[in-house]
Amino acid sequence: MWVVATAGHVDHGKSTLVRALTGMEPDRWAEERRRGMTIDLGFAWTTLPSGGTLAFVDVPGHERFVPNMLAGVGPVPAAMIVVGADEGWMPQSAEHLAALDALGVAYGLLVVTRADLADPGPALTRARAEIAATSLGAVEAVAVSAVTGAGLPELRAALDRLVARLPDPARDAPVRLWVDRSFTVRGSGTVVTGTLGGGRVRVGDALELAGSGEPVRVRGLHSLGAARPHVDAVARVAVNLRGLPRERVGRGDALLSPGRFGRTDLLDARLAGDPAADLPATLTLHVGSAAVPVRVRPLGPDTVRLRLARPLPLLIGDHALLRDPGRHHVAGGVTVLDVDPPPLRRRGAAAARAAVLAGLDGRPDPAGELRRRRLVRAGQLTRMGVSPTAAPVAGDWLADPDHWRDLGRRLVEEVARYAEEHPLAAGAPVDALRHRLGLPDRTLVTALLRPPLRLRDGLVTAVPADTLPEPVARAVARVRAEYGDRPFQAPEAHRLADLGLGPREIGAAVRAGALLRLAENVVLLPGAPDDAVRVLAGLPQPFTLSAARQALDTTRRVAVPLLELLDRRGATRRLPDDARQVVRPPG
């Protein structure tokens, strides 16, 4: 199934056209049929010449009902823009097109109706020029008369060509079904409808209500008027929810895959439209089927911070629009850049934040998010719409590599500082070190421990310097200085000798935990195995020895015994074809 929304000025024949294409009545209310004007969203479907099914979301054209129109267009990937030949381009034609442009709709079709009442040429020429300047670009156009039937076969063929160009839906994506209608069916309970843009919904699925976070169970599914065991995107779907009172869900709410979406009332976004500095302080944000008042704080020329009146399940990269309902004006489209932005407390913080946002484009960037956040839980990134690619450093904590190395250096300094401040203490408590480093979880402290630090009875101490003879300690320090930023480069035997590390000295350093012996004359710094697992976890799994060697920037002399060590530790697993995969991250 494909789903297309109508758009266009009031009384230009959108509903009449849908009725002629489908043989179905899209106007659901008696008041709509009495007045001959669409007030709320209507739904109908038809079979195209190719055999595929196309569903229409028919929207109202009057300026009083633009919020209803936006609730229907928001989740839909394509639009059929309708312009009457007798009246041509009109104010709501422009506002509907501005809304489609703001939402980033890239697929569309122009239909000039009422070709039996006037020459469609002038309306077609004007509309094509207006549409070409938006995200829709150049679109195919068809002139029709829903009364005489002229042009309807050509329109059906054009719709077939339109849906053939639509991108394949992400059927493995999490479900976020924006609710555009909710009602009660006697004997069944609460039913909600919406356009499923991604994923699959099954009977029996457990979902979450975005508004309250409460779990709900799918009792039944209908699509195209028939019961279904499951429905795949893209589709119009009606979901019967078990045990949920009707008043607890309505338009603007959403059904979500559990644990896959956060809810935010604060976000940073890029604006396309009016300059940020010219925006009113209060606007309405339209996204999906939701319309929420927001307070606007300009950050840069085209970036804003939005404070929402209620939380919404938004992801990085989502498209929405800002509208001034008092002026009936689309202020601009927004692309969500950050759904968990930092507070702006200090002087100059807004300008600094604008500089950061200038480098973001709304595409999820796992490495960039780690770099900006430094420490973050994997689940938090997932709920922002970012798929983690790095291996956790402890539990489900992810860390920017540079920040993690800096924390390791600071931990050594803080242990030494604590020993100076508390000379009679047996060591530094883990929680004290956590506070000193500003870490959110004590497991991060233990994950940072490397020789010469060790943990005993909940206290962190440094291995006394006199555990190594002074010449050996100096030689190990030289290795750290020379190879600290190349953790997988093992000094050759002659270089070890130059550094003052012969077989006996290496043995003493290995026993003290200051060096790690992989093989004869192959030694690394002791943190290298955990660092290697973090690098290897970022490779496509499984990986070959060659891929591991290149990722670690080392030689076969080091890579072979290092991978064998990781196999023995259970961090990696060797497969029958000699490839490997990471099975246990460090920490």
Side-chain angles (χ1 to χ4, degrees):
M1 185 197 307
W2 299 278
V3 183
V4 170
T6 63
H9 194 77
V10 62
D11 204 29
H12 276 201
K14 297 185 294 298
S15 298
T16 301
L17 182 60
V18 169
R19 199 176 298 117
L21 287 169
T22 66
M24 303 174 68
E25 175 57 69
D27 288 338
R28 296 179 288 111
W29 295 4
E31 177 70 7
E32 292 177 305
R33 292 190 288 273
R34 185 183 66 81
R35 295 169 61 179
M37 181 177 73
T38 301
I39 297 172
D40 205 350
L41 302 178
F43 311 102
W45 59 90
T46 189
T47 300
L48 295 174
S50 64
T53 301
L54 176 62
F56 292 97
V57 179
D58 188 34
V59 307
H62 196 283
E63 65 178 6
R64 288 170 50 199
F65 306 117
V66 167
N68 291 350
M69 173 267 179
L70 294 173
V73 169
V76 173
M80 182 171 70
I81 303 169
V82 177
V83 179
D86 52 339
E87 290 190 336
W89 196 254
M90 295 290 282
Q92 290 314 117
S93 308
E95 185 170 9
H96 283 203
L97 179 62
L100 295 173
D101 185 37
L103 292 170
V105 177
Y107 300 90
L109 177 68
L110 169 62
V111 182
V112 176
T113 57
R114 303 186 177 187
D116 55 317
L117 299 181
D119 177 9
L124 189 150
T125 301
R126 169 74 185 279
R128 261 187 165 162
E130 297 283 350
I131 296 169
T134 70
S135 59
L136 289 147
V139 297
E140 187 174 357
V142 182
V144 303
S145 168
V147 175
T148 68
L152 289 180
E154 292 80 2
L155 175 55
R156 289 179 176 277
L159 287 167
D160 240 340
R161 290 189 291 272
L162 170 64
V163 299
R165 294 191 296 114
L166 295 180
D168 292 332
R171 293 196 171 92
D172 58 348
V175 170
R176 179 175 54 174
L177 178 68
W178 292 101
V179 174
D180 52 38
R181 187 179 172 218
S182 65
F183 51 92
T184 300
V185 174
R186 181 173 297 179
S188 296
T190 299
V191 175
V192 301
T193 67
T195 300
L196 181 65
R200 165 183 280 191
V201 181
R202 305 172 183 83
V203 173
D205 275 357
L207 301 173
E208 289 178 355
L209 273 184
S212 62
E214 65 183 297
V216 293
R217 183 74 63 176
V218 177
R219 180 179 181 180
L221 292 170
H222 275 71
S223 185
L224 304 181
R228 315 277 179 177
H230 63 81
V231 177
D232 291 326
V234 170
R236 287 293 305 173
V237 61
V239 185
N240 180 200
L241 298 173
R242 188 188 307 275
L244 181 72
R246 157 70 183 82
E247 61 272 11
R248 294 235 291 272
V249 61
R251 178 173 293 175
D253 209 331
L255 298 179
L256 309 174
S257 292
R260 297 299 299 272
F261 294 86
R263 298 164 182 82
T264 183
D265 61 0
L266 187 70
L267 61 91
D268 289 345
R270 171 155 290 109
L271 176 70
D274 295 350
D278 295 343
L279 294 180
T282 303
L283 291 169
T284 298
L285 180 75
H286 293 266
V287 58
S289 62
V292 178
V294 296
R295 292 195 63 80
V296 181
R297 177 175 180 176
L299 297 176
D302 65 344
T303 51
V304 292
R305 173 158 293 187
L306 303 178
R307 173 75 68 178
L308 282 62
R310 64 180 174 89
L312 291 177
L314 301 180
L315 302 175
I316 291 173
D318 277 343
H319 293 285
L321 69 85
L322 290 171
R323 183 171 181 267
D324 186 343
R327 296 167 52 204
H328 302 292
H329 170 65
V330 174
V334 294
T335 301
V336 177
L337 303 178
D338 195 342
V339 294
D340 186 20
L344 304 176
R345 296 194 180 104
R346 299 180 179 177
R347 186 179 183 88
R353 180 61 177 165
V356 172
L357 296 177
L360 305 184
D361 59 8
R363 286 180 291 188
D365 176 14
E369 290 298 333
L370 275 186
R371 187 170 57 253
R372 288 184 289 275
R373 297 177 189 279
R374 305 200 293 180
L375 277 170
V376 64
R377 289 187 183 274
Q380 182 183 353
L381 281 188
T382 298
R383 289 188 292 273
M384 294 165 54
V386 180
S387 298
T389 55
V393 295
D396 66 342
W397 285 101
L398 307 175
D400 171 62
D402 290 339
H403 180 58
W404 190 247
R405 284 190 289 270
D406 182 60
L407 285 171
R409 289 191 292 268
R410 288 176 54 203
L411 180 60
V412 174
E413 297 170 358
E414 291 299 337
V415 170
R417 184 174 293 113
Y418 189 93
E420 292 175 0
E421 296 170 355
H422 304 83
L424 299 181
V430 171
D431 273 333
L433 295 171
R434 180 179 70 83
H435 285 293
R436 290 183 176 222
L437 295 176
L439 296 175
D441 193 322
R442 59 182 288 127
T443 62
L444 294 168
V445 177
T446 57
L448 283 166
L449 292 177
R450 302 284 187 276
L453 301 181
R454 66 184 177 189
L455 177 66
R456 181 175 296 172
D457 298 328
L459 300 175
V460 179
T461 59
V463 177
D466 59 4
T467 59
L468 282 176
E470 183 61 28
V472 179
R474 285 200 305 269
V476 171
R478 293 175 68 186
V479 172
R480 286 186 173 278
E482 187 168 332
Y483 291 91
D485 59 348
R486 297 177 294 158
F488 313 115
Q489 296 285 329
E492 299 285 349
H494 67 85
R495 184 57 186 151
L496 289 170
D498 292 343
L499 293 169
L501 290 171
R504 289 188 176 182
E505 290 80 8
I506 291 174
V510 169
R511 286 191 296 275
L515 290 177
L516 172 70
R517 191 201 307 270
L518 290 179
E520 188 68 26
N521 288 328
V522 180
V523 296
L524 297 176
L525 294 172
D530 283 352
D531 292 338
V533 174
R534 277 187 276 277
V535 173
L536 297 174
L539 292 175
Q541 305 289 314
F543 55 87
T544 63
L545 171 64
S546 176
R549 182 183 60 75
Q550 294 179 43
L552 298 173
D553 189 23
T554 189
T555 62
R556 185 181 179 87
R557 178 177 79 99
V558 175
V560 170
L562 178 56
L563 288 174
E564 290 173 347
L565 173 64
L566 297 180
D567 291 342
R568 291 194 298 273
R569 289 187 176 184
T572 58
R573 180 173 62 195
R574 190 169 183 173
L575 304 177
D577 60 356
D578 284 338
R580 284 178 169 84
Q581 64 184 31
V582 173
V583 294
R584 181 173 58 81

